[in-house]
């Protein structure tokens, strides 16, 4: 069987780390990206490896891939709130036409297909912590809907291909992840707080900072994706770190880990900002024998170190 794996979104934050892991495991990797939110610098280390090749293309409009392919990880999509609110149509295209194209490629190659879904499909959840059986509470026309609904549609598409064409498919519901190669200005809370703290600028907390999130370090996340695609489980699986912290706790922790004098300031809550987020990862523990290993303080220290050299 071929040991060639396709990763879309390879020039992005998670995709570039995942390509690195797959190369380490001895696979050949074909990365695909159109650089809409990714960056060429994320590919530098990968391109030094002879088993990595790159196709600069939009997944909505992909040319022929000649190689035999055994697995496809489909990560291509704008992902941060700033990105997808600036690119709503591209986000909807990636989650619909793009996912369909990649499913067709998987069908043609008889490859296992993994879709990067998101905790955003739960919306502002009324069930806590979120289990995979929860259907979510999503505003279908809100400012985040181009992303949430595209990802929900993508899950429906994957399940339709699974049922109709008896394909091997996987759905990873990824919760907030952080680590090296996040962009300082991508609007996500950890890069925001770290760059503000390192620059001695005010750390901006939305609302009272009582909303919660759970943050997974990127090495744990990609280990979870790897375990999932290599399992035989075809329904959605939460991949994230269940340690739940308030946004105010996060701001205080980053302030202390960076020895910053920044003041913590409070701004109005954005629309449709979820109040609570925490994955129930019992299913991943049971089906994948996976759970995160990096605790939240250790992970934050690594991300802070990276931002010190890169912002
Ligand atoms: N980072 C997180 O916390 C998180 C949480 C939940 C889900 N996810 C999902 O994981 C995936 C990767 O997220 P990320 O944080 O690495 O984001 P990212 O923006 O760093 O990476 C996404 C990559 O996809 C590429 N891309 C976007 N649309 C494309 C298209 N049509 N064709 C080809 N390439 C395209 C971008 O250029 C970028 O390199 C996304 O699907 C995202 O929805 C991420």
């Amino acid at each position: 069987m071929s040991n060639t794996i396709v990763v879309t979104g390879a020039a992005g934050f998670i995709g570039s780390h995942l390509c690195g892991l797959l190369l380490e495991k001895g696979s050949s990797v074909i990365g695909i990206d159109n650089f809409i939110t990714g960056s060429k610098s994320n590919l530098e280390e990968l391109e030094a490896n002879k088993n990595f090749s790159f196709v600069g293309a939009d997944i909505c409009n992909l040319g022929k891939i000649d190689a035999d392919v055994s697995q496809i990880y489909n990560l291509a999509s704008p992902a941060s709130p700033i990105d997808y609110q600036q690119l709503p149509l591209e986000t909807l295209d990636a989650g619909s036409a793009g996912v369909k194209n990649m499913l067709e490629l998987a069908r043609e190659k008889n490859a296992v297909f993994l879709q990067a879904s998101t905790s955003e499909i739960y919306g502002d959840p009324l069930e806590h912590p979120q289990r995979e059986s929860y259907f979510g509470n999503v505003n279908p026309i809100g400012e985040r809907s181009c992303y949430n609904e595209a990802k929900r549609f993508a899950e429906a598409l994957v399940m339709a291909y699974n049922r109709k064409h008896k394909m091997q498919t996987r759905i990873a519901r990824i919760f907030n992840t952080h680590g090296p190669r996040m962009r300082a200005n991508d609007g996500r809370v950890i890069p925001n707080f770290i760059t503000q703290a390192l620059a001695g600028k005010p750390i901006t907390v939305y609302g009272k900072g009582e909303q919660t999130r759970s943050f997974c370090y990127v090495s744990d996340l990609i280990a979870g994706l790897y375990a999932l695609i290599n399992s035989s489980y075809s329904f959605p699986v939460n991949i994230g770190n269940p340690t739940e912290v308030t946004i105010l706790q996060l701001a205080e922790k980053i302030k202390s880990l960076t020895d910053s004098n920044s003041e913590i300031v409070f701004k109005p809550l954005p629309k449709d900002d979820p109040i609570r987020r925490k994955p129930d990862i019992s299913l991943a523990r049971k089906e994948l024998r996976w759970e995160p290993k990096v605790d939240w303080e250790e992970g934050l220290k690594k991300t802070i170190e990276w931002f010190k050299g890169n912002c």
Side-chain angles (χ1 to χ4, degrees), residues 8-16 32-39 42 57-61 74-80 83 90-91 93-94 98 115-120 147 151 172-178 181-183 186 188 221 225:
T8 76
F13 157 52
I14 296 176
S16 60
I32 300 177
D33 206 293
N34 65 354
F35 297 113
I36 196 169
T37 60
S39 118
N42 288 344
D58 188 321
I59 58 162
C60 302
N61 194 9
N74 187 40
L75 273 61
S77 166
S80 87
D83 288 339
E90 292 83 349
T91 305
D93 279 348
Q115 170 63 16
S117 189
T118 169
S119 56
E120 292 281 332
Y147 182 68
K151 291 288 187 180
R173 289 189 180 154
I174 301 172
F175 282 65
N176 287 16
T177 302
H178 69 98
R181 303 192 195 136
M182 293 187 91
R183 281 174 294 135
D186 82 354
R188 291 189 255 206
L221 192 275
L225 299 183

Side-chain angles (χ1 to χ4, degrees), residues 3-297:
N3 190 18
T4 301
I5 299 178
V6 165
V7 176
T8 76
F13 157 52
I14 296 176
S16 60
H17 286 280
L18 177 64
C19 290
L21 174 75
L22 298 172
L23 290 168
E24 253 172 59
K25 300 257 183 203
S27 297
S28 294
V29 177
I30 303 173
I32 300 177
D33 206 293
N34 65 354
F35 297 113
I36 196 169
T37 60
S39 118
K40 293 206 162 112
S41 62
N42 288 344
L43 297 175
E44 274 165 17
E45 257 178 64
L46 301 171
E47 286 184 321
N49 189 314
K50 66 175 177 23
N51 293 326
F52 181 77
S53 57
F54 181 72
V55 178
D58 188 321
I59 58 162
C60 302
N61 194 9
L62 186 67
K64 197 163 166 35
I65 301 281
D66 289 325
D68 282 341
V69 172
S70 57
Q71 296 181 332
I72 299 177
Y73 289 85
N74 187 40
L75 273 61
S77 166
S80 87
I82 285 192
D83 288 339
Y84 62 69
Q85 284 170 26
Q86 275 169 1
L87 299 164
L89 301 179
E90 292 83 349
T91 305
L92 285 156
D93 279 348
S96 52
V99 177
K100 188 160 190 283
N101 268 348
M102 296 313 299
L103 279 160
E104 283 295 339
L105 181 67
R107 192 174 156 216
E108 175 200 325
K109 304 284 182 189
N110 202 15
V112 186
F113 179 89
L114 180 144
Q115 170 63 16
S117 189
T118 169
S119 56
E120 292 281 332
I121 68 112
Y122 298 122
D124 190 2
L126 304 176
E127 180 179 302
H128 192 78
Q130 291 80 55
R131 277 189 304 236
E132 291 83 351
S133 53
Y134 178 51
F135 293 166
N137 176 37
V138 175
N139 175 354
I141 56 162
E143 285 173 17
R144 304 169 82 106
S145 65
C146 59
Y147 182 68
N148 303 358
E149 294 294 10
K151 291 288 187 180
R152 289 170 70 94
F153 177 81
E155 288 199 4
L157 204 50
V158 171
M159 290 313 299
Y161 268 76
N162 175 291
R163 292 182 178 118
K164 185 161 170 70
H165 297 302
K166 311 275 176 268
M167 279 171 57
Q168 290 283 328
T169 58
R170 315 280 178 257
I171 297 174
R173 289 189 180 154
I174 301 172
F175 282 65
N176 287 16
T177 302
H178 69 98
R181 303 192 195 136
M182 293 187 91
R183 281 174 294 135
N185 57 354
D186 82 354
R188 291 189 255 206
V189 63
I190 289 186
N192 269 358
F193 286 180
I194 294 178
T195 49
Q196 289 167 336
L198 290 177
K201 291 187 177 155
I203 300 179
T204 46
V205 166
Y206 296 123
K208 292 183 185 156
E210 288 166 349
Q211 66 277 35
T212 67
R213 295 289 184 276
S214 309
F215 298 101
C216 190
Y217 189 66
V218 66
S219 58
D220 280 333
L221 192 275
I222 58 174
L225 299 183
Y226 183 84
L228 177 57
I229 206 167
N230 290 301
S231 76
S232 53
Y233 193 78
S234 56
F235 293 104
V237 181
N238 290 338
I239 308 280
N241 190 318
T243 306
E244 185 181 14
V245 296
T246 69
I247 292 298
L248 186 56
Q249 278 173 320
L250 176 72
E252 283 162 350
K253 178 61 81 183
I254 289 177
K255 183 171 146 84
S256 109
L257 291 175
T258 50
D259 284 326
S260 172
N261 295 323
S262 294
E263 174 194 3
I264 296 179
V265 298
F266 297 87
K267 295 249 170 108
L269 258 186
K271 268 196 199 139
D272 295 330
D273 197 40
I275 302 299
R276 302 186 79 183
R277 266 296 161 66
K278 168 181 164 150
D280 180 323
I281 60 163
S282 327
L283 189 63
R285 285 193 174 108
K286 176 168 167 268
E287 293 291 336
L288 315 181
R289 304 256 170 267
W290 171 88
E291 64 182 352
K293 295 195 173 100
V294 182
D295 82 41
W296 82 291
E297 183 166 329

